[in-house]
Amino acid sequence: MSGSIPFYQKHHRHYDRGYRSKGTESKMSQYQSTSRYTGGSSISTTGRSSGLKVSSYSGLEASRLSPVPKRAKPTYLAVDKENQIIGYVVPIFREFATGFSDTEEARVRNTSAHMARRDLFTRGLEMERSEVISRKEAIRESAERISLTKTVSKGVFNRSYRKLESFTITWIINGSGLCLLQDKHFKHMNEDSLMHAPEFVIKPRSHTVWEKQCVRLHCTVSGWPEPRVVWYKNNVSIDPLANPGKYKLESRYGVHSLEINRCDFDDTAQYHVSAMNSKGELSAYASVVVKRFKGEIDESLPAPRCKCKFTTHIVDNFGVSFGREGETMSLGCTVIIYPALHRYQPDVQWYRDDVLLSPSKWHHMHWSGDRATLTLTHLNKEDEGLYTLRVSTKSGYETYSAYVFVRDADAELEGAPGAPLDVRCLDANKDYIIVTWKQPAVDGGSSILGYFVDRCEIGTTHWIQCNDTPVKFARFPVTGLVEGRSYSFRVRAVNKSGMSRPSRVSEPVAAMDPADRARMRGTSAPWTGQIIVTEEEPAEGVVPGRPRELQVTEATKNYVVLSWNPPGEKGLEGVMYYVEKCVSGTDSWQRVNTEIPVRSPRFALFDLAEGKSYSFRVRCCNSAGVGEPSDPTEATTVGDKLDIPSAPGKVIPTRNTDTSVVVSWEASRDARELVGYYIEGSVVGSNVWEPCNNKPVNATRFICHGLMTGEKYVFRVRAVNAAGISQFSQESEAVEVKAAIGKKNEGLILHTPPPSPPLSPPLLGSRHVGKPTWFEFSVISASPSPPYGITVLECVHDSMVLAWKQPNFIGGADITGYFVDYREVIDGVPGKWHEANIKSISERAYRVSDLKENKKYQFQVRAANMAGVGIPSLPSDTFLCEEWTIAVPGPPHDLLLRDVRNDSLVLLWKPPVYQGRDPVSGYYIDIKEADAPEEAWRGVNNKATEKTYFKINNLNEGETYVFRVRAQNKAGVGKTSDITEPVPALTKPGTKEIVVNVDDDGVISLNFECCDLKPDSKFVWSKNYEEITDTSRLSVETKGNKSKAVFNTPAEEDIGIYSCLVTHTDGASSSYNLNEEELKKLLEISHEHKFPIIPLKSELAVEMLEKGKVRFWLQAEKMSANGKIDYVFNDNALSQGEKYKMNFDKNSGVIEMIMDSLTPADEGTFTFQLQDGKATNQSSLVLIGDVFKELQKESEFQRKEWFRKQGPHFIEYLGYEVTPECCVILKCKVGNIKKETTALWSKDGREIKSDQHLGFTEGVLKLEIAQISKKDSGVYEVVLKDDRGKDTSTLNLTDQGNFWRSHTNEVTNSSTPLKITSTDKGIRLYTFVIFRSHLYKTIAFSDRIKSGVVGDQLWLQITEPTEKDMGKYAIEFHDGKGGLRRTVELCGQGETVFSAAIAEKNRARVAGGLPDVVTIQEGKALCLTCNISGDPAPEVTWLKNDREITSDDHCILKFESGKFASFTITAVNTSDTGKYSILVKNKYGTESGDFTVSVFIPEEAGGKKK
């Protein structure tokens, strides 16, 4: 730790001797070293008067002896305005643990007692303690006398002004002692003249301590009546009884203290002391920071209350160091301990990566009394790490840390890899020792093929290679060892270029079981390494039992390690083991160690086939025989169970110093047994990669040192475990090596790394472990840079409100507060800085009070974060403290820019502090290009906005702008704010927007994703740009780089603008405007999702099937295969059976229920209830009364009809027609006939003779009656018959002749005049049956001229009429006796009729080809084609939702050959859903065709359509 003063003590008005200037220390040392004032130069006399113990001194004599300038003697007599003595003023003394205040220092210098303790340090402390006790007792006696006097005066006098009898204590010094004279003085005075509110003479100061140390906060309080003092921790009062032994409170004669015993990390807090009496209350604040050290804590460290406190300073220290394997390196620091005691020896310890180092052949440590040195005799890569020197005294300890880097030695063969490192021995026993190591960072340019393990028996120098082929796994069991011997191991790496240098040898380890080590009675022979082991005498005749708990402890593709517990019954004779293996799926057990006896309950198996599965078992044996085998293990597949880790994630470099860069990355995913990471760097464009570290680091953040200033570097990272080294991560973005902080922070110790030695590598680094060190504070935990832009927001006669801008660099941690200093400027000369606030403020605006009116002041601001307080800003302009009287408002402040996009951004600000004569009514925003002149300022809004935020649109992409804001009130527009920093209108790559989502449960949420998230980044949600702290309306969930704000109960009060800001990013933010319309829409969707309804294409309906079956059915638009249907009749569930047949077609969504017939019991309500997940629906059909009876009757009829039609039957029953020749034909249509079917005609029950005209062709039976007359009247009957059955049809023609003639007359008389109409085929004349031309010739019918009957209408059709068809047409009706004629003239109407006929024929038509509904999956292509007719060719127009659409790349519209119109959508999406129409038009007419397109997304739950 440096000798500089921590920030919280440097600026404190009351800090102790330990933090004094060098000049003060020099003066104090003069007093302690001077010997000529010893003896009678100090007079200390103690006398007693009425039990009063008093210490006295002569100010005059002390003045003569003092080498410092003469000061005025203090007086303790209280006088009134007339200089009459009225009492004794009790001085407030203070006990200092580490030094004196300025006032007491002067007092001590004037005392003889101070001269008397200049010789011996311990004697001086004792005398000082005696003097303090004497002073305390004198103060107590005097205070009690004054209190008694005041109490007596209150009892004697009852008027407002009373006489007070007081005692004036006068000090008289002579050669023999001290006399106390008492004089009575009476004076008229107010009874409250001595009463005043509490005042802190000495305030508690902040402390930073290590864990398990004690800390003491103390203060001195004055006030009358005596104040009541209460201590608080984080605004909670401290109760010592609630935490016995933790807190100790003391209050003695105005000195109050709080002692915290054995501090832990939870004691880090803000403490404050509150003093209160009848005249008022006052508080003072102090902070306690408890630091945690990862190494061992010295439990014997005393509390800070030790009477002899040592101060330790580590100076002349070592910096970041660089070395190469095989070299020697020394690290040293000079340690200054004050006071210097010759016989006192501090505890000096060295740590590497928080692990205590012990003296060894690798580490030599030396302490010379004032300098600590650590010598690394032979550097290896294992020596790389963070080295910490810890100097402990009984008053505490001090540490200093720096990083040491070790580079590989030059390879013996060019291209050979670096040496492995950190060779260790695990699981040592009689038969084998497992050796582990770490892979090197340098592979020589080609991948490492494997490793060779060498062993050397202790006491020899002969190395033996343990494996014939290289192993890739960084773990290997070494066998063939001699039991009891000790071995060391080393490892070599090999690639295609050759072998690396060997690693540093491991620590020696003995080849014996742990249990044997415990029973070891001998020691190792130095020259052979032989260990002498004694065992009990064996007994014979007992066969050992079965081994227990056999298991596979490790399995790789090279070996498998087994372990087990010895048997319970092994006898007293030594036991050996046989290991057997068996390929899975067979019963063939094969003994593995037939020649090598296994003595320990562990064994390593080699030469197993990779990929095969094996089971293992073990037998015990001794001279008595071989025991039973153990239970076999589960099948184990030979292969590496540990996978090589995946490549690390995104690598982010950050500037640090002129020669270093901080590199952070995302950890490898799902990495098992991770050893650490290797980092490599390369100068941009060189394509030469150098390692930044040669020892794996466990953190995901590393500082790479030794870089060239001004160069640009890229970095990549690899992960390491025992299985191997991962692939490289993606290369980082390029970063320029440049200092991130321009100035050093006085509050933090920020060192500049020393230049690298000539042999240092171009790239080396340090890691983030253990206690924070200087190089970590530089960026990771650096204090902020200075704020800037100090302005005045309001000024009154004794205070000013200041505002400033946030520092450009916040130090990698959130700013926790600001400190403001001020100084008076007199005639242009600045005075001394004073603190405006002791407690930090979080806002960037502060009111500085207690200023003098009409005086000029300057201000400076410092920012603080978790690392400390930054350096102050530059002094502000000089401001005059005079009250503002202007009518308009002051300037708005704290302008911020959010949601910067290519064409818009959001500007935020805070209202002016000074409102003016009237309240602020609105704001105006001004804008200009950053490089434009002042005249270019222009307004953004013509109407003032009442809000403190505004979205600015219509920006030019890429243009840089600045903004300012003005406030207005009734008096006018006020002063403009400071302008913002220039900002380019650009959407940064990877920018995301807030997305609104409604999930399946109907929960509405706002979702935001940030791609550039930093480890300390946070998502901050705001409503109307004010941070949301109330979670009753909105709940925020953050996971990874995504954050979601969920509406708890959406309502109108949630309407507003929601924004999300991501801290520690380059302004990543987005906003979403939730208006009333959008909220209504979201609530509807939410309701649909909460209570979903299965849409139906058709409601429940009923229809008749053959055999009279009744079908109830409906069709759902979409249901999943898990859909469920309940069939209900009159609230009773129906089930599948003989009466009810249910069916559900999942493809079409048709649900049906079929009943064979209806009975009276089936009258009621039928209901289909549908459920598909959460979605439900139902449809009902009521069948009661006449509706049910008609349906039942129809069912019975259809049932009978079905049975009738099983044989020959009549499709159309017997009827008649009259020919133009007045012949009557009786005819009927039959079906289901065959050759054997016969038809018998009869009249009035008599069969009609065959001489009658009987026909039976094409399923039609005819009976022709020529010249029908009365005699032909009667009942006609025809019977169809064969072996399948028969059917009968009758026709009653009784009196049908008269009826027919009367009917003919009626038709004739009621016939309408002949009418003409045009059709698409020509002209049609109707109501005539016999037609004649204008010459009354009978018309000959042809394909062009046809006639027919439609209902009561008689018509004549002329196809493609011409002029020759013009003339007079007539229809004649005959009844045998007379007739009727109807005529029409085609001459006058010809042109109109012909035109109408042509128009009808040639008008535009949509012939067909379009469906009613098209349902299609999103992403598919849709193509529809229809036929178009019309002459001339029609014009084709396509519409969507009644709006015309045009052809583009997405929607292609074609009209080919004047006949075919096509509609194609290349890739359908949800926006294509809607109603489409085609409109065709020519000069003869217009026609349209409609269809609907529905798009669905199959990935969504239930496949809901959009």
Side-chain angles (χ1 to χ4, degrees), residues 244-273:
K246 183 65 177 178
Y247 302 103
K248 182 179 179 182
L249 302 179
E250 290 184 356
S251 297
R252 294 183 180 179
Y253 315 116
V255 179
H256 307 273
S257 65
L258 165 65
E259 183 174 346
I260 307 173
N261 187 31
R262 293 182 64 83
C263 293
D264 56 26
F265 196 74
D266 294 333
D267 291 321
T268 299
Q270 184 185 65
Y271 295 80
H272 80 270
V273 56

Side-chain angles (χ1 to χ4, degrees), residues 946-1109:
E946 297 180 357
K947 300 180 176 63
T948 56
Y949 56 87
F950 193 85
K951 184 172 184 179
I952 302 171
N953 298 302
N954 302 321
L955 301 179
N956 295 326
E957 182 176 355
E959 185 67 58
T960 302
Y961 297 91
V962 291
F963 304 89
R964 67 186 186 188
V965 183
R966 296 169 293 151
Q968 77 164 9
N969 59 9
K970 291 182 179 180
V973 179
K975 183 180 177 182
T976 61
S977 66
D978 283 350
I979 64 173
T980 64
E981 295 296 324
V983 56
L986 285 174
T987 302
K988 293 173 181 165
T991 299
K992 304 288 185 180
E993 301 294 343
I994 292 177
V995 178
V996 185
N997 180 53
V998 183
D999 62 15
D1000 293 340
D1001 296 326
V1003 177
I1004 303 174
S1005 62
L1006 305 176
N1007 301 268
F1008 186 62
E1009 179 181 358
C1010 180
C1011 299
D1012 299 328
L1013 208 63
K1014 302 298 187 300
D1016 298 328
S1017 295
K1018 296 179 181 178
F1019 290 86
V1020 180
W1021 286 90
S1022 304
K1023 180 182 179 182
N1024 295 330
Y1025 300 100
E1026 294 182 1
E1027 184 175 353
I1028 299 174
T1029 57
D1030 183 11
T1031 58
S1032 62
R1033 305 295 312 167
L1034 203 69
S1035 301
V1036 177
E1037 303 171 6
T1038 300
K1039 186 176 181 180
N1041 65 336
K1042 297 179 180 179
S1043 183
K1044 176 169 66 173
V1046 179
F1047 290 96
N1048 299 330
T1049 54
E1052 289 186 3
E1053 56 189 295
D1054 293 316
I1055 293 175
I1057 299 176
Y1058 290 86
S1059 61
C1060 185
L1061 171 70
V1062 185
T1063 62
H1064 298 285
T1065 62
D1066 194 10
S1069 63
S1070 180
S1071 300
Y1072 173 76
N1073 187 7
L1074 181 63
N1075 52 37
E1076 185 176 357
E1077 181 181 353
E1078 187 70 14
L1079 177 62
K1080 183 178 179 181
K1081 181 178 175 182
L1082 291 174
L1083 289 176
E1084 291 175 356
I1085 298 175
S1086 174
H1087 186 272
E1088 291 177 1
H1089 287 198
K1090 285 183 180 178
F1091 311 101
I1093 295 177
I1094 301 174
L1096 300 179
K1097 287 186 178 179
S1098 62
E1099 297 289 338
L1100 184 60
V1102 63
E1103 67 179 6
M1104 212 48 77
L1105 303 179
E1106 63 179 9
K1107 294 175 95 174
K1109 293 182 179 180

Side-chain angles (χ1 to χ4, degrees), residues 125-342:
L125 291 176
E126 195 67 24
M127 293 183 67
E128 180 182 1
R129 180 174 177 273
S130 175
E131 181 181 0
V132 169
I133 294 175
S134 300
R135 290 180 181 179
K136 286 184 178 180
E137 291 181 356
I139 292 169
R140 183 187 62 191
E141 295 290 339
S142 300
E144 289 177 351
R145 182 174 299 277
I146 292 176
S147 178
L148 178 63
T149 302
K150 185 171 183 180
T151 304
V152 171
S153 66
K154 286 183 179 180
V156 174
F157 303 102
N158 296 322
R159 292 174 301 181
S160 59
Y161 291 95
R162 301 168 184 172
K163 294 181 179 180
L164 175 65
E165 181 180 5
S166 63
F167 297 90
T168 302
I169 303 175
T170 306
W171 300 83
I172 301 177
I173 302 177
N174 52 33
S176 61
L178 173 68
C179 295
L180 179 63
L181 302 181
Q182 300 182 3
D183 294 327
K184 297 183 180 181
H185 299 272
F186 297 91
K187 199 69 180 173
H188 293 284
M189 62 180 294
N190 190 290
E191 63 177 352
D192 292 330
S193 62
L194 294 179
M195 300 178 68
H196 62 276
E199 181 181 1
F200 284 91
V201 180
I202 303 296
K203 295 182 180 180
R205 66 180 177 87
S206 299
H207 288 266
T208 300
V209 298
W210 293 106
E211 278 188 314
K212 298 184 180 180
Q213 284 189 288
C214 300
V215 66
R216 186 183 184 195
L217 306 177
H218 57 84
C219 63
T220 303
V221 183
S222 65
W224 191 266
E226 183 178 2
R228 175 177 176 267
V229 174
V230 180
W231 291 87
Y232 295 85
K233 174 185 177 182
N234 290 336
N235 297 323
V236 178
S237 62
I238 296 176
D239 184 6
L241 298 179
N243 299 275
K246 183 65 177 178
Y247 302 103
K248 182 179 179 182
L249 302 179
E250 290 184 356
S251 297
R252 294 183 180 179
Y253 315 116
V255 179
H256 307 273
S257 65
L258 165 65
E259 183 174 346
I260 307 173
N261 187 31
R262 293 182 64 83
C263 293
D264 56 26
F265 196 74
D266 294 333
D267 291 321
T268 299
Q270 184 185 65
Y271 295 80
H272 80 270
V273 56
S274 176
M276 180 177 63
N277 64 9
S278 59
K279 302 299 288 184
E281 181 179 5
L282 190 63
S283 297
Y285 295 81
S287 297
V288 173
V289 178
V290 181
K291 291 188 175 180
R292 178 173 294 167
F293 187 78
K294 291 187 177 180
E296 297 179 356
I297 301 296
D298 189 352
E299 299 290 345
S300 64
L301 287 177
R305 297 182 64 191
C306 177
K307 295 181 177 58
C308 182
K309 180 175 181 179
F310 292 94
T311 303
T312 304
H313 299 280
I314 299 177
V315 299
D316 190 19
N317 42 45
F318 58 95
V320 177
S321 303
F322 307 90
R324 189 189 295 270
E325 283 187 318
E327 296 177 349
T328 300
M329 176 181 289
S330 293
L331 308 176
C333 292
T334 301
V335 181
I336 300 175
I337 301 176
Y338 179 82
L341 301 181
H342 295 292

